[in-house]
Amino acid sequence: MKSLLSTTLTLCALQTISAINLPFRPVAHKPQIPVMSEPQDMLKVPGDNNATYGPVPKAEQLLQVEHLSIAPSPIPVNKIFFTLLRGEILPSKRENLPNLAHLLATATLTITSSAVLADGTHLAPQSYTVPFRTTAFADSAHISIRNRTGSYVEHFDGTGTNDILSDYWIPGMWLQTGMWTFEVVVKLGDGKCLFAISLTQWLEKKNL
């Protein structure tokens, strides 16, 4: 099962990384594309990152984000990078969620990736969903959750400040060069959005 989850997560982050069987076609001159494309109607997530709130509007998200740190940032290829998202569900919002513990225990994490390749080809969005909990995806990625006391827990508990930590790596040999967009959306068991974050970045195919 862990092997299957590992494969799923890797495929997700690289557009089914998939397009392994689609030949990479280099261009003579690299387009002058910025590392981050941030539409004016998008709000930056606080912290050391180049991410914005979305695709769910910030006003519809339950989590009050204190900060999101991504290191290194921009994210590298063929190297492990780390994220730390810290925040809490404010008491005023918890009051309207009487079954919050159950809703968090049944929450899901959806990662959607899409890209505009160096030759202008658009890769259609691909989405993958896994349970939102402390998880080890074989050796390729880990998600850990800490509660307000700093103890590691299985689920986001919704009381006080919680931390969500992850480590991951993007294998460059399977990557197609282009401008990639990754959207991470966590939803409670009833469909309400805990948080939603989007990141757009130029990534290049690299062999180990």
Side-chain angles (χ1 to χ4, degrees):
M1 178 61 72
K2 287 185 177 180
S3 177
L4 176 59
L5 286 173
S6 174
T7 301
T8 298
L9 187 66
T10 300
L11 293 178
C12 163
L14 297 179
Q15 184 66 339
T16 299
I17 272 181
S18 51
I20 298 177
N21 55 358
L22 296 179
F24 167 68
R25 288 173 286 178
V27 292
H29 301 284
K30 175 181 175 180
Q32 296 301 310
I33 302 179
V35 169
M36 178 67 194
S37 175
E38 184 175 329
Q40 292 184 357
D41 60 348
M42 298 291 283
L43 296 175
K44 183 184 179 302
V45 179
D48 299 321
N49 64 77
N50 56 350
T52 59
Y53 291 100
V56 179
K58 179 185 177 184
E60 298 177 19
Q61 301 182 29
L62 295 172
L63 188 69
Q64 179 74 34
V65 176
E66 181 178 326
H67 67 80
L68 168 64
S69 295
I70 303 176
S73 182
I75 59 176
V77 173
N78 288 335
K79 295 181 180 180
I80 295 176
F81 65 92
F82 304 88
T83 68
L84 168 61
L85 176 65
R86 175 168 294 173
E88 69 172 311
I89 302 176
L90 299 179
S92 59
K93 294 186 177 181
R94 292 202 303 267
E95 292 174 357
N96 299 319
L97 298 167
N99 299 317
L100 182 57
H102 173 71
L103 295 176
L104 287 168
T106 55
T108 56
L109 165 69
T110 298
I111 302 175
T112 301
S113 60
S114 60
V116 179
L117 303 184
D119 63 0
T121 300
H122 288 249
L123 297 183
Q126 295 283 334
S127 296
Y128 297 87
T129 300
V130 296
F132 177 55
R133 63 183 60 174
T134 292
T135 308
F137 299 94
D139 293 327
S140 60
H142 303 80
I143 296 174
S144 300
I145 300 173
R146 293 191 303 224
N147 64 16
R148 64 189 181 282
T149 70
S151 299
Y152 286 90
V153 293
E154 184 175 2
H155 303 291
F156 196 99
D157 68 13
T159 59
T161 300
N162 280 210
D163 294 335
I164 305 162
L165 304 93
S166 70
D167 58 85
Y168 186 61
W169 68 286
I170 297 177
M173 65 182 296
W174 289 343
L175 180 70
Q176 294 193 89
T177 297
M179 184 65 79
W180 285 82
T181 297
F182 301 96
E183 296 175 342
V184 178
V185 179
V186 172
K187 290 188 176 181
L188 304 186
D190 64 354
K192 292 185 177 67
C193 179
L194 181 61
F195 66 86
I197 292 172
S198 178
L199 184 148
T200 298
Q201 180 180 318
W202 179 266
L203 295 173
E204 295 188 2
K205 179 183 178 71
K206 292 181 180 179
N207 294 321
L208 291 173

